[in-house]
Amino acid sequence: MWSELTKAIAQINIPADWVGIRAVKDTSYNRHFRDGIPQSNGKSSTTGAMLEVMVNGCIGYGATNSLQLQDLQAAAEKAYKQALAASEWWIYPFNAVRERPKVVGQYTSPFLEPLDALTPREISDLLVRICQTLKVSDQIVQTTVVASTSERETWFVSSNGSEVYQNFMFFSTHYGATAQDGAIVQQRTNNGWQANCYQGGLELFQEPDLWQRVQQIGEQAVELLTAEECPTTRTNLVLAPDQMMLQIHESVGHPVEIDRILGDERNYAGGSFVSKSDFGSLAYGSPAMNITFDPTVLGEFASYGFDDTGAVATREYLIKEGVLLRGLGSLESQARAGVPGVACARASSWNRPAIDRMANLNLEPGEASFEEIIAGIEHGVYMESNRSWSIDDRRYKFQFGCEYAKLIENGKLTKTLRNPNYRATTPEFWHNLVKVGNSSTWEMYGTPFCGKGEPNQAISVGHGSPTCVFANVEVFGGGG
């Protein structure tokens, strides 16, 4: 691949200020079983390249599924014409030295066992066994399990000498059980819908506590059938890391995307309550709030060495001690907005341009153990695993529902509660963050389905968080 791309970047003949080629090869497998019966078992593979061309301060794009020189040349010519036509109305003059600097390097996902370490039959047998183990009683009316793997290689070369190679191995699983007793239906999953997403090999499949966890999920689904409804009250809310994942994603990640703040996403995904002038001064939350953008975390779902324009990935504080410092913005968005950002220009495939995206967005741990967190609460509700969510197009008002909850009374977890929900506004909620768990409570999850852009791009993101306590939050039942 390198020889074809380096040859092409040297021979593409257009009068552009800068040319880049990002080639992608992606092979994915997806297996889905319901009640032990296969629903899908498929493989998909795609290869192609995106040509970026800078002309008179504007960038044009042209994609092709062929890596032959003549086809890359044709895509480059298309991108050139697009950039040239747009240059009469540019909103910001880009510069190759600043927005597309030369970079050389490589990145490979960590793994112990390759993704083909098990035969298709061995994987199918494991998925059937998970379905069987989930069915702990006749009250379990449906079981489901999904396993997805993907290997992606990317190559990036440019006319100013960039050469970047990255090899990613993605692995995600999901399993859950639905229980029913008359009109009461409850679902319990392993940390929410397909949240167990990581970079690595098949060693991630058979974790030491896998069968204990599968059994527990089935038992908790049945337990919820006779649980009390979550009370309607204002109280202390304790969120597990698998719910904090979505809380961080929706009420921190999307609002601080610089392209949303600039208005680029307003037509499709909405805007943000954050403005450009807020960076460096806005008290986003309490002093206990420390959010990092960190694509360097080993094994987290959206780790990488370089973004899709070649910018070097580094760990950066977005929010430190509650104050908003920088946004999720690529080199292009940083230049346009005059706001500090991160290496986050990412594309879902070879036929999409890179735009501002979340990667690994993590809440840094504090000092308290889980036992200390619970012991310090006289009354509250502890919630796990997202079930539903709703947030407005400015990422200001939100309402989230969880699968499983426990009442906290006098420093102890007591009754199981079903249909737990909570709601707040983003600033109020994060200012009510009063305690953050230590590293022993910190867990990382992810999702392959973060959607954004027109045409749409579903992309992988990762989120790590400790257990957290929020004071004076409105919680309520219903929705089950």
Side-chain angles (χ1 to χ4, degrees), residues 17-36:
D17 302 319
W18 178 90
V19 179
I21 305 175
R22 174 174 49 86
V24 180
K25 180 181 179 181
D26 195 334
T27 302
S28 301
Y29 294 86
N30 186 72
R31 297 172 175 88
H32 175 203
F33 281 70
R34 182 184 299 143
D35 299 326

Side-chain angles (χ1 to χ4, degrees), residues 456-472:
N456 185 262
Q457 300 194 45
I459 209 164
S460 59
V461 297
H463 299 298
S465 176
T467 302
C468 293
V469 186
F470 299 85
N472 194 33

Side-chain angles (χ1 to χ4, degrees), residues 300-353:
E300 197 163 358
F301 200 42
S303 291
Y304 49 86
F306 310 85
D307 76 7
D308 285 332
T309 63
V312 178
T314 57
R315 180 178 186 267
E316 304 288 349
Y317 275 91
L318 302 187
I319 298 171
K320 191 169 187 179
E321 296 179 351
V323 178
L324 178 64
L325 300 180
R326 63 176 63 224
L328 289 169
S330 63
L331 293 175
E332 295 167 38
S333 291
Q334 292 173 51
R336 286 174 57 196
V339 168
V342 293
C344 68
R346 304 174 64 209
S348 61
S349 189
W350 57 266
N351 58 2
R352 296 290 188 272

Side-chain angles (χ1 to χ4, degrees), residues 1 5 8-9 12 14 18-25 46-54 59-68 71-80 82 100 153-159 164 308-310 332 345-355 454-457:
M1 182 71 77
L5 294 178
I9 202 69
I12 284 176
I14 52 173
W18 178 90
V19 179
I21 305 175
R22 174 174 49 86
V24 180
K25 180 181 179 181
T46 182
T47 302
M50 173 64 74
L51 278 290
E52 277 190 315
V53 172
M54 190 178 293
I59 300 175
Y61 304 92
T64 174
N65 62 359
S66 168
L67 300 181
Q68 298 297 313
D71 297 309
L72 295 172
Q73 172 72 30
E77 290 173 359
K78 179 180 179 181
Y80 172 79
Q82 181 188 107
R100 293 295 186 270
E153 293 181 278
T154 68
W155 298 261
F156 175 72
V157 297
S158 70
S159 58
V164 174
D308 285 332
T309 63
E332 295 167 38
R346 304 174 64 209
S348 61
S349 189
W350 57 266
N351 58 2
R352 296 290 188 272
I355 59 177
E454 293 183 279
N456 185 262
Q457 300 194 45

